[in-house]
Amino acid sequence: MENFADTVDNLRQRIDAELIEAVPQIQPESLYEPIRYFVGIGGKRLRPILLLLSAQTVNGNIKSAISAAVAIELLHNFTLVHDDIMDRDDLRRGHDTVHKKWDEPVAILAGDGLIGLAYRQLMKLPSQYLIPVCRLFTEGVVEVCEGQAFDKEFETCSNVTLDEYFRMIGKKTGRLITMSTEIGAILGGGTEEEINLLSRYGSTIGTAFQIQDDLLDIAASEEVIGKTFGSDVKAGKKTFMMVKALQLASDDQRSKIAEILSSAKISPEMILEIKHIFQEAQIFDQAKHEIHELFEKANNILDEFPHPERAQGLRDFSEMLLNRKY
Amino acid sequence: MENFADTVDNLRQRIDAELIEAVPQIQPESLYEPIRYFVGIGGKRLRPILLLLSAQTVNGNIKSAISAAVAIELLHNFTLVHDDIMDRDDLRRGHDTVHKKWDEPVAILAGDGLIGLAYRQLMKLPSQYLIPVCRLFTEGVVEVCEGQAFDKEFETCSNVTLDEYFRMIGKKTGRLITMSTEIGAILGGGTEEEINLLSRYGSTIGTAFQIQDDLLDIAASEEVIGKTFGSDVKAGKKTFMMVKALQLASDDQRSKIAEILSSAKISPEMILEIKHIFQEAQIFDQAKHEIHELFEKANNILDEFPHPERAQGLRDFSEMLLNRKY
């Protein structure tokens, strides 16, 4: 029997091939070359893999779900291309971002084009599923914009609560992940109960995934994550750690953080200083604890399945996420 | 009987009311306030009006087509918000553009959000029409991005042919207008023949509309058009006149144009100089002639209708377009 790493590799290859097919080989070059570049520089393809595993979990097949999987990945790529402009990030997946390699107009348009190409993939779905899936997808597009808007608003806001943080990441990151499990469940022919369980599973691992992302941005080195180290601190992002620190750290620590966040330019030394405060105030431990709790909760949801043995793929998926280094 | 000006006013009021309803009254403010601002500063609402008139032409009613009309206008607004960033235009409809009033990240996100809200309107359509309309709409999103990419490519290209110009405007401007007539025809319950005729009609007036737009940008004053005078020349846009001039003007005139287009900053005097060349080389006359021919062709298409008397609204619409001053 195939082990999970092989399963993931096979799915990823299938998705990569379909993604390249989804980008037309026609003019204008200034639209399709950047799109081809961006979908071609890799990416973990977690969302489409999750969608396909969800379809399998409800006993559906991959073939009927593949174009939705490709659509989700294209939509995810749209958010990355536009977010990188807004956040002025120059590095993504270890390569230049689109606005860095070309320019901003090209990157704006590449992102817009990716939305169109994503919907084009959805239009290939069997007609009995097309409307509900298209509806979910559309609500996802709106919500992911809302999440990004909250994220940007929070950059200049020093009193973000944990509830506000969770609402923001639920929209910005969680929505696309939950959409992946829900759409997979629908296309796999899941029952209402199964769709509901997979929705809760997606929402739970989505939250865990974003807290991990926050953690990796400051805990890992640039080389490992393939994007700029400490970019969240530099941009004034209210990550899980930052929100916790602004609540729980000592007065001295908080005023130090505030001082750094208000400086015109945040140096690597300043980022290390903040990292040190997070360590001292045991914020990293709290983040890790939260992540572990969420993964446990996610596994408990899978146990509720009518045929829990079918959810082994998702159990392995959670495990893979939990152990990721970037 | 209601005259056409009143018909248009009534449709516009109806569309304006639905547009405001389409923008959620919720947080995040940084997403929905700019969207509400932009759809609220007016606009001629030509595309949704055209969609509704098309539905009426095939004996359909407005109620069944209104949410598609709103969707088309939201999509059009998305293109304006993003194009204004790319073209660095500060003025639109006599008001500050979104990126000027707020900033670029806000404008990028407002445009993205408008796409999501547009699809959300489509999802309200009766299910028997939803799939074909959504398919057309999606192809329109892709094509409008292609058109904008060609338009940007042509800015730095001095040998654009008339064929290339027509292909570009067919995608950038024509596609949304043709989509309006086609979707109106579908939702009005038109026959295949009627849908086909309205598609040809839309494509023809769409081309005429863009040549007019090119003309107005340099012929009208800033006050009248509510956007920057001569902005096309400043941006190096290959308008109908510019393409014609680069083909037909004398060597002296052409090298004068090339000199101006290659200057670091194009002054109002330089724009007037180009305007003068267009006049001398009779380029304006050619543009006006082309526009008139296209409107005549459009009316001939309406004559082919099984019940040509029902197309009176569209005949009046063409007339209104032909006489527009901005």
Side-chain angles (χ1 to χ4, degrees):
Chain A
M1 202 180 131
E2 191 177 59
N3 69 31
F4 187 66
D6 290 339
T7 303
V8 165
D9 274 348
N10 288 338
L11 292 177
R12 191 178 286 129
Q13 279 172 29
R14 176 92 185 261
I15 291 156
D16 282 346
E18 297 276 346
L19 271 172
I20 286 297
E21 280 290 305
V23 187
Q25 295 270 6
I26 56 170
Q27 289 188 312
E29 269 300 298
S30 66
L31 177 64
Y32 291 124
E33 197 193 330
I35 292 179
R36 205 171 299 119
Y37 163 80
F38 196 73
V39 304
I41 57 174
K44 299 182 283 290
R45 316 303 189 200
L46 293 178
R47 292 156 193 79
I49 290 171
L50 183 57
L51 191 153
L52 297 175
L53 291 175
S54 299
Q56 288 182 320
T57 299
V58 298
N59 225 10
N61 65 55
I62 286 180
K63 204 177 162 203
S64 61
I66 188 79
S67 64
V70 174
I72 285 275
E73 183 63 19
L74 291 169
L75 189 68
H76 173 56
N77 279 259
F78 137 70
T79 66
L80 297 181
V81 171
H82 279 190
D83 288 3
D84 284 340
I85 310 173
M86 298 182 219
D87 293 341
R88 310 220 162 276
D89 277 329
D90 290 343
L91 209 55
R92 167 75 66 184
R93 297 168 175 168
H95 293 79
D96 281 343
T97 51
V98 175
H99 69 94
K100 168 85 176 163
K101 192 172 164 77
W102 283 272
D103 56 29
E104 284 192 24
V106 164
I108 292 172
L109 209 47
D112 296 343
L114 279 161
I115 302 180
L117 296 181
Y119 272 101
R120 185 183 272 176
Q121 288 299 315
L122 283 193
M123 295 303 138
K124 294 184 186 172
L125 291 174
S127 60
Q128 76 269 32
Y129 294 129
L130 205 154
I131 296 176
V133 170
C134 206
R135 212 177 287 279
L136 267 178
F137 197 83
T138 296
E139 291 308 308
V141 172
V142 173
E143 228 175 303
V144 90
C145 292
E146 291 179 356
Q148 171 68 1
F150 278 125
D151 192 29
K152 297 301 288 178
E153 285 183 12
F154 291 174
E155 287 176 9
T156 52
C157 184
S158 60
N159 57 349
V160 176
T161 66
L162 209 57
D163 277 354
E164 288 170 327
Y165 168 81
F166 281 120
R167 180 181 58 172
M168 180 271 283
I169 68 165
K171 289 173 179 284
K172 187 184 156 91
T173 311
R175 191 61 234 158
L176 271 194
I177 293 179
T178 313
M179 231 164 86
S180 304
T181 54
E182 286 173 351
I183 292 178
I186 292 172
L187 293 173
T191 62
E192 208 162 314
E193 188 199 354
E194 287 173 324
I195 296 169
N196 186 31
L197 281 170
L198 278 171
S199 171
R200 283 167 53 211
Y201 169 77
S203 157
T204 309
I205 60 163
T207 306
F209 181 78
Q210 183 57 53
I211 300 173
Q212 267 190 323
D213 232 41
D214 291 355
L215 198 59
L216 289 167
D217 186 73
I218 189 160
S221 74
E222 184 160 329
E223 211 177 297
V224 175
I225 60 170
K227 55 184 188 179
T228 326
F229 162 71
S231 61
D232 288 340
V233 172
K234 264 184 225 160
K237 295 284 183 201
K238 295 304 168 300
T239 62
F240 181 85
M241 280 84 63
M242 191 58 87
V243 171
K244 279 277 186 188
L246 291 169
Q247 277 180 352
L248 301 177
S250 68
D251 287 354
D252 276 4
Q253 288 171 326
R254 273 188 291 178
S255 52
K256 187 69 215 170
I257 292 175
E259 189 196 315
I260 290 176
L261 291 184
S262 66
S263 19
K265 197 179 166 350
I266 296 175
S267 66
E269 291 71 33
M270 290 172 175
I271 295 171
L272 288 174
E273 218 168 329
I274 285 190
K275 194 170 170 176
H276 190 65
I277 294 174
F278 287 172
Q279 272 154 348
E280 276 188 343
Q282 297 181 304
I283 307 287
F284 286 132
D285 294 336
Q286 292 194 34
K288 286 174 194 162
H289 179 74
E290 184 80 26
I291 293 164
H292 273 272
E293 295 256 288
L294 286 164
F295 275 113
E296 205 178 302
K297 188 177 156 197
N299 274 338
N300 290 339
I301 294 169
L302 297 180
D303 288 339
E304 293 179 44
F305 254 79
H307 302 277
E309 71 284 2
R310 280 202 206 129
Q312 190 54 43
L314 292 178
R315 239 176 274 279
D316 292 338
F317 185 85
S318 300
E319 180 84 15
M320 182 182 79
L321 276 196
L322 183 62
N323 296 320
R324 77 194 178 106
K325 293 282 169 282
Y326 65 97
Chain B
M1 203 183 128
E2 190 179 60
N3 70 30
F4 187 67
D6 291 339
T7 304
V8 165
D9 275 349
N10 288 336
L11 292 177
R12 191 178 286 129
Q13 279 172 31
R14 176 93 185 260
I15 291 155
D16 282 346
E18 297 276 346
L19 271 172
I20 287 297
E21 280 290 306
V23 188
Q25 296 269 7
I26 56 169
Q27 289 187 314
E29 269 301 297
S30 65
L31 176 65
Y32 291 125
E33 198 194 328
I35 291 179
R36 205 173 298 118
Y37 163 80
F38 196 74
V39 304
I41 57 174
K44 301 183 281 291
R45 317 301 189 201
L46 293 177
R47 292 155 193 80
I49 290 171
L50 183 58
L51 189 152
L52 297 175
L53 290 174
S54 299
Q56 287 182 319
T57 299
V58 298
N59 225 13
N61 65 55
I62 286 179
K63 205 178 160 202
S64 62
I66 187 78
S67 64
V70 174
I72 284 277
E73 183 63 18
L74 291 169
L75 190 68
H76 173 56
N77 278 258
F78 137 70
T79 67
L80 297 180
V81 171
H82 278 189
D83 288 2
D84 284 340
I85 312 173
M86 297 183 220
D87 293 342
R88 311 221 162 273
D89 277 328
D90 290 344
L91 210 56
R92 168 73 67 183
R93 299 168 174 168
H95 293 79
D96 282 343
T97 49
V98 176
H99 68 94
K100 168 85 175 162
K101 192 173 164 77
W102 284 271
D103 56 28
E104 282 191 25
V106 164
I108 292 172
L109 208 47
D112 296 343
L114 280 161
I115 303 179
L117 295 181
Y119 272 101
R120 184 184 272 177
Q121 288 298 315
L122 283 193
M123 294 302 137
K124 295 183 185 174
L125 291 174
S127 60
Q128 78 269 32
Y129 293 130
L130 206 155
I131 294 175
V133 170
C134 207
R135 211 178 287 280
L136 268 177
F137 198 84
T138 296
E139 290 309 306
V141 173
V142 173
E143 228 175 302
V144 91
C145 292
E146 290 179 358
Q148 171 68 0
F150 278 125
D151 193 27
K152 296 300 289 177
E153 284 183 12
F154 290 174
E155 287 176 9
T156 51
C157 183
S158 61
N159 57 351
V160 176
T161 66
L162 210 56
D163 278 352
E164 287 170 326
Y165 168 80
F166 281 120
R167 180 181 57 171
M168 180 270 283
I169 68 165
K171 288 173 180 284
K172 186 184 158 90
T173 311
R175 190 62 235 158
L176 271 194
I177 294 179
T178 312
M179 230 165 87
S180 304
T181 54
E182 287 172 351
I183 292 177
I186 292 172
L187 292 173
T191 62
E192 207 161 316
E193 188 198 354
E194 287 173 321
I195 296 168
N196 187 30
L197 282 169
L198 279 171
S199 170
R200 283 168 52 212
Y201 168 77
S203 156
T204 308
I205 59 163
T207 306
F209 181 79
Q210 183 57 52
I211 300 174
Q212 268 191 321
D213 232 43
D214 291 356
L215 199 57
L216 290 166
D217 186 73
I218 188 160
S221 73
E222 184 161 331
E223 212 176 298
V224 175
I225 58 171
K227 54 183 188 179
T228 326
F229 162 71
S231 62
D232 288 340
V233 172
K234 264 184 226 160
K237 293 284 182 201
K238 294 306 169 295
T239 63
F240 181 85
M241 282 83 65
M242 191 57 89
V243 172
K244 279 277 185 189
L246 291 169
Q247 276 179 353
L248 302 175
S250 68
D251 287 355
D252 276 5
Q253 289 170 324
R254 274 187 293 176
S255 51
K256 186 71 216 168
I257 292 174
E259 189 195 316
I260 291 176
L261 290 185
S262 65
S263 19
K265 198 181 166 350
I266 296 176
S267 67
E269 291 70 34
M270 290 171 175
I271 295 171
L272 287 173
E273 218 169 326
I274 285 190
K275 194 170 171 176
H276 189 65
I277 294 173
F278 287 172
Q279 272 154 349
E280 276 188 343
Q282 299 182 303
I283 307 287
F284 286 131
D285 294 335
Q286 291 193 35
K288 286 174 194 161
H289 179 75
E290 184 80 26
I291 293 165
H292 274 273
E293 294 256 289
L294 286 165
F295 276 113
E296 206 179 302
K297 189 178 155 197
N299 274 337
N300 291 339
I301 294 169
L302 296 180
D303 289 339
E304 292 179 44
F305 255 79
H307 303 277
E309 71 284 1
R310 280 201 207 131
Q312 190 53 43
L314 292 178
R315 239 177 274 279
D316 292 337
F317 185 86
S318 300
E319 181 84 15
M320 182 183 80
L321 274 197
L322 184 61
N323 296 319
R324 77 194 177 105
K325 294 281 169 283
Y326 66 97

